[in-house]
Amino acid sequence: MAKKNALIQIEQPIRQIQDKSLFDRVQDFLTEQEWEFRSNEDRGYFSFNLRLRDGSVRVVVDVAEQENWSRIMAYVIYPTLVPELKRPELAQALARINYTHLAGQFEIDLDDGEMRVRSIIESDGYLGEKLIDRALRRATDMAEQFQAILLSIAFGTTKAQDILKMTGHEDRGPLQ
């Protein structure tokens, strides 16, 4: 019996044949969800309104793709602008939330009071339906989970230091 020795090139990247662009895959995903959306292929984004438990939000999905790199960035934007006097308190609350979350983050524009959630998935491989769903779900789930409590800080008397207790999250401290 003859012995065969074959060399395998393990340094070469595995390539997956992409029949559609990332923009087209995101468009297909949104269509399958039966969401009404607007798109701009030249600028690489989609936008739509979404009803959450405590109110409506605007969602923007930004896609970028090059030969060996892809990115989906989902923004969930709250429709209410935070009053100027409450922005420092709200910024502190968002910092407390961000400190306890591994993925996804809250942002506030301190100039106009716009508040939003952002999640990003970036890869040097293929971004399929599961990762598209994960990017959108991460941002929308976080926005829904914290919407009421953030509004109670922006327009009520709730304090930033109480936000984690009120949402059932514990401040676990830094990773060491």
Side-chain angles (χ1 to χ4, degrees):
M1 183 146 109
K3 235 182 180 181
K4 290 187 179 182
N5 291 327
L7 293 176
I8 300 173
Q9 297 291 335
I10 57 174
E11 295 298 320
Q12 294 179 357
I14 297 172
R15 292 186 182 243
Q16 192 164 3
I17 297 173
Q18 297 182 18
D19 56 342
K20 292 185 176 184
S21 70
L22 179 58
F23 187 89
D24 290 338
R25 292 190 307 274
V26 171
Q27 183 168 286
D28 290 347
F29 176 83
L30 296 174
T31 301
E32 287 172 16
Q33 303 303 311
E34 298 181 358
W35 290 337
E36 291 183 29
F37 59 89
R38 292 179 304 283
S39 64
N40 185 324
E41 190 168 5
D42 293 336
R43 295 183 61 198
Y45 75 87
F46 300 86
S47 66
F48 55 94
N49 294 322
L50 188 62
R51 175 87 175 130
L52 301 178
R53 180 182 58 237
D54 296 319
S56 296
V57 293
R58 185 168 153 244
V59 179
V60 176
V61 182
D62 181 74
V63 299
E65 184 174 43
Q66 296 174 1
E67 185 177 336
N68 293 315
W69 173 83
S70 301
R71 182 198 69 222
I72 300 171
M73 191 163 30
Y75 291 99
V76 177
I77 304 163
Y78 293 108
T80 308
L81 299 178
V82 177
E84 188 171 358
L85 290 174
K86 293 288 192 156
R87 291 176 196 165
E89 186 76 20
L90 199 79
Q92 184 186 138
L94 299 182
R96 289 174 183 272
I97 295 168
N98 288 341
Y99 189 71
T100 63
H101 279 75
L102 297 175
Q105 67 185 38
F106 281 90
E107 304 171 340
I108 184 170
D109 183 329
L110 293 173
D111 292 330
D112 68 7
E114 180 183 80
M115 188 173 42
R116 64 188 184 191
V117 181
R118 176 177 61 179
S119 70
I120 301 171
I121 294 187
E122 191 174 283
S123 175
D124 57 357
Y126 183 82
L127 291 176
E129 185 176 320
K130 287 183 181 181
L131 291 175
I132 294 167
D133 180 62
R134 184 175 296 161
L136 287 168
R137 188 169 310 279
R138 181 177 295 150
T140 56
D141 286 352
M142 285 179 68
E144 183 170 54
Q145 180 180 11
F146 290 98
Q147 185 172 20
I149 189 70
L150 291 173
L151 290 174
S152 74
I153 293 171
F155 298 101
T157 58
T158 304
K159 298 295 180 197
Q161 65 262 21
D162 298 330
I163 194 162
L164 296 177
K165 287 182 244 168
M166 294 179 79
T167 58
H169 286 79
E170 304 255 343
D171 185 355
R172 296 181 188 99
L175 296 174
Q176 294 184 12

